[in-house]
Amino acid sequence: MHLLLSNLNPSWGGGEFWFFDAANELAARGHEVRVLVREGSQLQERLRPTGLELVSEEIDPFQGRKTDVMLCNSRKKDVKHLMQFKTRPAHGLLLRKGVPRPLKDRMWGRKELHALCHVLVNSDATRAVVQESLPWFPPERITRIYNPVPFEPAAAEPGMPLRICAVGRLVAVKGFDVLLEAVGKLQRDWTLAIAGEGRAREELEPLAAPYGDRVRFLGHLEDVRPVYAAADLMVVSSRYEGFCYSAVEATIAALPVIATEVGSLPEVVPDARFVPSEDPVALAAAIEATQPGPRPDEAARARARFAPDRIFEELERLLEQVASEGPVRG
């Protein structure tokens, strides 16, 4: 198939991680893959060494090129951008929705929604939100395929204090401030390693200062396996979550996971211990009550559930279906 993947987000997050993996895997499976990216974006920089064809925002991506499916990351950025080109095919417009937030059905954006042929979601929670926000959208044209998690854990390292890890962008929605308040309530000896970078770091470092070297900010890491290997448990303290790769990775690494009961987390990591968001007391109590130690059964279930080969086969079948679909409302 001839595929155009469009992700015009300038920053890097779970959606960009998915598009990077999908573009490379679909190309490896023999499809012609072009990727529309924003100039200077992190996705563009990471895709350059792969040899995939990158498309500029400034040109017509359809002129003289066959396109079976247009797989878009955002209605506001990507679908709207592609619809300005009169050469765009009427069939095969697929929107990927990676977070359980409504698709707002407003008059000014209805043209883009009506042009969609299908919506791809990465959880049942997100599918339910999409269906509720677009009751007129055919439910058979909303397909759930979980994100693939191509993760192989490193061997665990022994340690004495309770070693807590957290992985994610340092932004308010991740709730690291709540986690820092929670660890201050623990009665046992502990350390906390936070892997990630972001604009909230300057606000979080003063909150961590009273704990001295028990809290370490590791910055952005290309390989987080050593973080999981050196930890006894993983905490996801998010105020809001879409899929949360790190929670699945930690489960595959056989770590106990404590997570807030938000978004798709109860669905993608059902074996985790859940607490309400914004509740450092409940979070501290859950950390105290969690027995460190490997969880091999949970790891095996997660590995099978998010196996990349099976998931990309599902994605290929969906793309073949979407290639022949017209818009839901002409």
Side-chain angles (χ1 to χ4, degrees), residues 185-203:
K185 301 178 184 299
L186 298 179
Q187 300 301 307
R188 60 201 300 183
D189 193 14
W190 58 270
T191 63
L192 171 61
I194 300 175
E197 196 55 81
R199 56 184 178 271
R201 181 164 182 164
E202 61 183 24
E203 300 166 10

Side-chain angles (χ1 to χ4, degrees), residues 16-290:
E16 290 64 53
F17 186 89
W18 187 92
F19 268 78
F20 179 89
D21 273 0
N24 282 285
E25 181 63 25
L26 290 167
R29 289 170 177 255
H31 303 285
E32 181 191 277
V33 176
R34 295 176 292 137
V35 189
L36 176 61
V37 290
R38 176 165 294 182
E39 188 66 33
S41 68
Q42 294 190 41
L43 181 59
Q44 181 191 52
E45 294 307 310
R46 291 172 188 246
L47 283 172
R48 282 191 195 281
T50 68
L52 289 173
E53 182 180 352
L54 304 183
V55 181
S56 166
E57 296 174 79
E58 307 303 321
I59 67 169
D60 181 343
F62 306 108
Q63 192 69 44
R65 299 295 294 268
K66 181 179 180 182
T67 305
D68 297 312
V69 178
M70 299 154 279
L71 174 50
C72 297
N73 178 64
S74 163
R75 176 182 65 83
K76 290 182 180 178
K77 294 187 181 119
D78 302 283
V79 175
K80 185 176 182 179
H81 176 77
L82 294 181
M83 286 190 66
Q84 70 179 302
F85 298 104
K86 295 181 179 180
T87 52
R88 176 184 63 85
H91 63 272
L93 183 58
L94 171 62
L95 174 66
R96 178 182 180 269
K97 186 72 172 167
V99 291
R101 289 178 177 169
L103 280 168
K104 296 179 181 178
D105 190 10
R106 293 174 177 167
M107 186 65 68
W108 57 265
R110 198 158 291 164
K111 182 179 179 182
E112 291 127 37
L113 292 173
H114 289 179
L116 294 178
C117 303
H118 213 103
V119 176
L120 167 64
V121 297
N122 62 2
S123 71
D124 290 330
T126 299
R127 173 162 53 190
V129 171
V130 171
Q131 288 179 331
E132 184 178 357
S133 63
L134 300 180
W136 52 266
F137 201 95
E140 66 273 14
R141 292 209 189 184
I142 304 173
T143 298
R144 187 266 287 150
I145 300 177
Y146 287 126
N147 290 357
V149 184
F151 184 76
E152 290 295 331
E157 300 175 4
M160 290 296 293
L162 179 66
R163 299 166 304 169
I164 307 163
C165 75
V167 178
R169 292 175 296 128
L170 303 187
V171 291
V173 73
K174 296 296 184 181
F176 288 118
D177 55 326
V178 179
L179 174 56
L180 288 169
E181 186 177 348
V183 293
K185 301 178 184 299
L186 298 179
Q187 300 301 307
R188 60 201 300 183
D189 193 14
W190 58 270
T191 63
L192 171 61
I194 300 175
E197 196 55 81
R199 56 184 178 271
R201 181 164 182 164
E202 61 183 24
E203 300 166 10
L204 295 172
E205 287 180 333
L207 299 178
Y211 307 132
D213 59 7
R214 287 193 291 175
V215 176
R216 292 181 299 139
F217 289 93
L218 305 178
H220 173 74
L221 300 175
E222 290 294 332
D223 185 359
V224 295
R225 290 177 299 174
V227 178
Y228 302 131
D232 297 309
L233 63 87
M234 161 83 161
V235 175
V236 181
S237 52
S238 301
R239 294 178 167 94
Y240 185 87
E241 265 301 344
F243 182 83
C244 196
Y245 279 98
S246 61
V248 176
E249 290 172 349
T251 304
I252 292 174
L255 282 180
V257 175
I258 300 171
T260 48
E261 197 168 7
V262 298
S264 304
L265 280 167
E267 180 182 341
V268 299
V269 284
D271 295 313
R273 180 188 292 267
F274 291 100
V275 298
S277 65
E278 304 278 7
D279 192 337
V281 174
L283 182 54
I287 294 172
E288 292 277 14
T290 299

